[in-house]
Amino acid sequence: MKKWMVGRFTIVLVTALLVGVTSVAEDKAGANTATTASKQEAAIPAALPIVNQPVQRGEFLKLVVATLELPLEEAAGSGYEVYAKTARDHQLYVETDFPSSYQSLSKPITRKEVARVVVRATGGNTQEDDKWMYLATKSGLLTGLGKGELGEDKTITQAQADKIMERIRTLNAGGQLKADKYAVSSAELAWHKTNIFTVMPEFFVTREEHYKGKTIEDLWREDLMVIETKNGLYKGQLDALIAIDLEDPNDPNLKLLDPIQELKIDFNGARINNVPVDNYPITDWKKSYVLLFKGRTIYNKDKTKFATYQHGPLTSIHGIEPPDYQLFREKKVLNQAASLYRKEANDVEAYIIPKEGWIQEKERQIYITIKTPALSEWVGGIENVLIRVDGPKYIKD
């Protein structure tokens, strides 16, 4: 692909832009058969002279068509529309991404739109509109903008577009790309409201037969994050389950724990007025993950039957157990999942999970639940299982 250097004369810039407008007419005049975009100079997208200038939608489609060396066919319209048709014919682009009109194709392309095109260009697809960025970042086709920022509504530059084309070629040639784990984490949260599979994948493993035809991430039951009693008295929702790596100072979600020095581990010891007597800050156990549950109560029509908590439904994580409970309770050794608090027990809906030192009982799976805060077992309380996996099943480190 012919690249333009910054600093060309204005007349060269004008000529380059005119190529995009006149290339279709030249195609019709020069040949009756389909041509290959990467082999015909008039059909190759003219790279923008200014590397920091936003790339237009039509320009990006031209770049992808050229990168994949797709044949161009005669089509109604002019300029970028012929490339949009070729991209559409090869399932790289659909009209629901953005219209194929001249006005639409002349607008800068967003990173979210880029994600859809590049995932299809490397053989991927999804029916979930919020999954494209996850697929694009996990494969390494797109990286974040720093600190986990996805910038889905931001544009890309010509220099960035050139790098993306290189990544497409690498993947299609059987190579692999390094993923930006912080961007993948953010994209997973945006997709199905949790990032547990990105941040702590060694915990959430299971037999392939459990997700036959899908991926393990598809086991997460986003549809069960809203919980409602059959009697219509209570409804709550988990908005997000966020995994945070305490050992990673660059984890973009660490800020959600601020002020982190106030967060303490509840070792189920003595309490006075619901305040644990012991004071063990989580910063003493940095080789751990935190699972932060962000939820809310949608309605509670009978407070004599259901409690109303600021964080919404009750939560639990099962299967991450201590090899010796006395070490946990009396010696304050973190060898199981434990609740966190700031000023009094249960004022934070979060758990700390050590990376090592815990066990799973035989045939005990790891699973996460939310349940209605019923004040007794007779009032119609229910529980939803959001994820259930075999887990790593090791006994001791």
Side-chain angles (χ1 to χ4, degrees), residues 70-89:
L70 298 178
L72 292 171
E73 297 179 2
E74 294 185 5
S78 60
Y80 293 136
E81 290 161 292
V82 67
Y83 299 98
K85 181 182 185 303
T86 298
R88 186 170 59 247
D89 290 346

Side-chain angles (χ1 to χ4, degrees), residues 92-165:
L92 303 175
Y93 155 76
V94 294
E95 287 279 347
T96 52
D97 293 342
F98 44 82
S100 59
S101 66
Y102 172 80
Q103 291 80 4
S104 173
L105 294 174
S106 298
K107 292 181 179 180
I109 192 167
T110 66
R111 286 168 54 84
K112 185 175 183 179
E113 293 165 346
V114 165
R116 295 189 183 107
V117 176
V118 297
V119 168
R120 296 188 190 108
T122 51
N125 210 336
T126 180
Q127 299 301 314
E128 300 177 67
D129 186 60
D130 50 9
K131 192 177 179 180
W132 292 107
M133 186 61 76
Y134 175 71
L135 294 175
T137 54
K138 187 178 181 182
S139 64
L141 286 165
L142 292 183
T143 58
L145 302 180
K147 298 182 179 179
E149 182 185 357
L150 296 176
E152 290 185 300
D153 295 327
K154 293 187 177 180
T155 59
I156 65 167
T157 65
Q158 179 64 40
Q160 291 167 338
D162 289 342
K163 289 182 179 179
I164 293 170
M165 296 307 113

